[in-house]
Amino acid sequence: MKPIQVGLLGIGTVGSGTFEVLQRNQEEIQRRAGRGIEVAMVADLDVARAKSIVGTKVQVVDDARKVIANPEIDIVVELIGGYGIAKQLVLEAIEAGKHVVTANKALLAVHGTEIFAAAHKKGVMVAFEAAVAGGIPIIKALREGLTANRIQWLAGIINGTTNFILSEMRDKGLTFGDVLKQAQALGYAEADPTFDIEGVDAAHKATIMSAIAFGIPVQFDKAYVEGITKLESQDIKYAEQLGYRIKLLGISKRTAAGIELRVHPCLVPAKRLIANVEGAMNAVMVQADAVGTTLYYGKGAGSEPTASAVIADLVDITRLHTADPLNRVPHLAFQPDAMSNLPILPMAQVVTSYYLRLRVADQAGVLAKVTGILANADISIDAVLQREAGEGESHTDLIILTHDCVEAKMNQALAEMQQLSTVLAPITRIRKEELN
Ligand code: NDP
Ligand code: HSE
């Protein structure tokens, strides 16, 4: 049988890895797919660079629409990124009846509803394993492997750049800026690295996972997003002393009131496996009723790890494209007419525990005032750590770990504590997850 014909849009980090791995492992991949998978056409703005990667046997063009217009192409692989031209090209490819593979989490988290509806109408597949956690097959696990389960929550280190920065800052005492430059040089960071460090990339991925886990539409606009730019190295040290590590987590939880969807730095007990995921590695924990807790770990970024996921999608489509569209795995795991309208909860309604650091005057009675405010708000304290004031210092740091409480109550208590004349600087608040 003629190999399935693939058109690549964008041959940068992920596109070149995809081409390379498809070439290297073509025999093995064909034995699995039941048919060859051939890159027949590539579009990239830099035609000369693209030709240097794919050689002379593959047609290279600078206009992606020529790939979409080619009737020979069965699958269009979008590896350009962003919400701009990529969105138009994906919708045009669907309209032209092509199956689509994309690694573009930004696009799907924001415009997924429109894209999946268009694909459903046309009876084509949109596959996106590479969009979340690079090479880890977490989409497949959530959508198919865990299909028997009622998923309760998931929590993941799903941005390699920020995990790399946090690891290097903790282990080598390097500065934020220096480690970010390294992450960019290694190809982990997004074209706009603020997406990484401000938590946006992780929120894109958490949004996609929450949709698949709970059968809700993708709703990036309702996610709570906080990155790592305000983290201070002293908090990383205090957390260590208390038996915790700080990680940027993407979390989505089912509660009686709705779905929590949030990304923020988080204290995680150092003894949890996920707390020991270092460098650019990713890991996702999923808690589900039948299977219990499962953990998925691997490379979340980089050329070939991400290519591994892109090619898995190509194989899936090759196997399934002749199947009746109604018998294929739904894009977001649940049948489109069986989606839930559970609300995404505003952050004020989220329940979690907290790490607080207060820079306070080194005076008698300060601790009592602070704990009094927490007690009045019905917030129970789990642990207190007070740094001894250094010689000649008139201030000290008070670290408090709390038990779970609703965020609105904590906001109120923080506002009251901040008013105390003995609290000398803005209070640092980092959320804490026990993940048990
Ligand atoms: P790159 O920037 O390395 O590659 C994008 C390529 O697309 C470049 O070669 C670029 O050309 C080309 N391009 C830009 N505009 C067009 C256009 N209009 N027509 C054709 N080609 C175009 O990005 P990555 O490979 O890193 O990322 C691709 C996608 O994969 C993104 O959505 C990203 O978020 C996602 N992803 C990336 C991962 C990674 O580790 N890098 C991991 C998981 C997902 P030029 O350089 O000349 O502008
Ligand atoms: N910038 C992303 C990261 C790439 O650092 O995880 C993988 O999606």
Side-chain angles (χ1 to χ4, degrees), residues 14-320:
V14 181
S16 57
T18 301
F19 185 81
E20 167 62 29
V21 176
L22 266 176
Q23 300 300 303
R24 191 169 74 227
N25 296 343
Q26 58 177 294
E27 212 179 294
E28 198 89 345
I29 291 167
Q30 176 164 355
R31 284 170 56 213
R32 292 194 169 115
R35 189 174 168 188
I37 298 177
E38 188 174 286
V39 175
M41 209 170 169
V42 169
D44 198 282
L45 298 181
D46 190 338
V47 171
R49 187 173 45 95
K51 280 186 175 162
S52 74
I53 297 167
V54 302
T56 50
K57 289 196 187 129
V58 179
Q59 189 187 354
V60 178
V61 292
D62 63 0
D63 179 0
R65 291 195 166 89
K66 286 192 180 145
V67 176
I68 294 170
N70 182 344
E72 293 296 309
I73 297 294
D74 304 297
I75 308 175
V76 167
V77 182
E78 183 277 306
L79 297 174
I80 293 171
Y83 323 101
I85 184 72
K87 180 186 175 199
Q88 291 167 33
L89 294 172
V90 163
L91 288 172
E92 286 172 30
I94 291 169
E95 191 52 37
K98 314 288 186 194
H99 302 292
V100 171
V101 175
T102 179
N104 192 338
K105 55 263 168 161
L107 176 65
L108 294 181
V110 177
H111 299 292
T113 302
E114 181 184 352
I115 288 168
F116 295 130
H120 186 66
K121 199 166 140 212
K122 269 284 176 183
V124 297
M125 288 173 269
V126 174
F128 51 93
E129 183 62 68
V132 181
I136 306 174
I138 186 64
I139 299 296
K140 191 97 174 163
L142 287 170
R143 195 169 52 190
E144 295 164 57
L146 299 178
T147 200
N149 290 263
R150 184 175 162 84
I151 294 175
Q152 285 139 350
W153 56 260
L154 56 86
I157 295 171
I158 44 180
N159 182 269
T161 303
T162 44
N163 203 51
F164 179 73
I165 292 172
L166 290 177
S167 299
E168 295 284 294
M169 280 173 72
R170 187 174 68 89
D171 294 345
K172 300 186 184 157
L174 297 176
T175 65
F176 185 95
D178 284 346
V179 194
L180 174 60
K181 276 187 206 135
Q182 276 186 44
Q184 286 175 292
L186 288 164
Y188 303 147
E190 295 301 299
D192 177 357
T194 54
F195 269 37
D196 295 294
I197 60 181
E198 295 297 357
V200 177
D201 177 71
H204 287 147
K205 294 164 180 168
T207 298
I208 295 170
M209 288 197 291
S210 74
I212 295 173
F214 305 119
I216 55 174
V218 283
Q219 296 165 77
F220 172 71
D221 55 332
K222 300 205 179 114
Y224 174 80
V225 189
E226 184 184 315
I228 63 166
T229 47
K230 294 193 186 81
L231 267 186
E232 293 184 44
S233 49
Q234 53 186 326
D235 294 311
I236 298 177
K237 285 192 199 125
Y238 287 136
E240 292 268 338
Q241 287 174 30
L242 290 158
Y244 291 86
R245 297 261 167 88
I246 299 183
K247 295 288 179 190
L248 183 73
L249 290 188
I251 298 171
S252 192
K253 272 187 198 172
R254 187 201 295 270
T255 76
I259 303 291
E260 293 180 8
L261 175 56
R262 49 193 168 101
V263 169
H264 49 73
C266 219
L267 267 74
V268 180
K271 64 187 175 197
R272 299 263 175 271
L273 282 175
I274 199 166
N276 295 284
V277 171
E278 302 292 1
M281 301 304 277
N282 280 195
V284 182
M285 270 176 98
V286 183
Q287 173 71 33
D289 66 342
V291 71
T293 309
T294 50
L295 176 69
Y296 308 83
Y297 169 82
K299 288 188 179 159
S303 182
E304 292 204 1
T306 312
S308 163
V310 170
I311 296 169
D313 281 343
L314 288 172
V315 171
D316 259 2
I317 293 179
T318 305
R319 287 173 177 151
L320 290 172

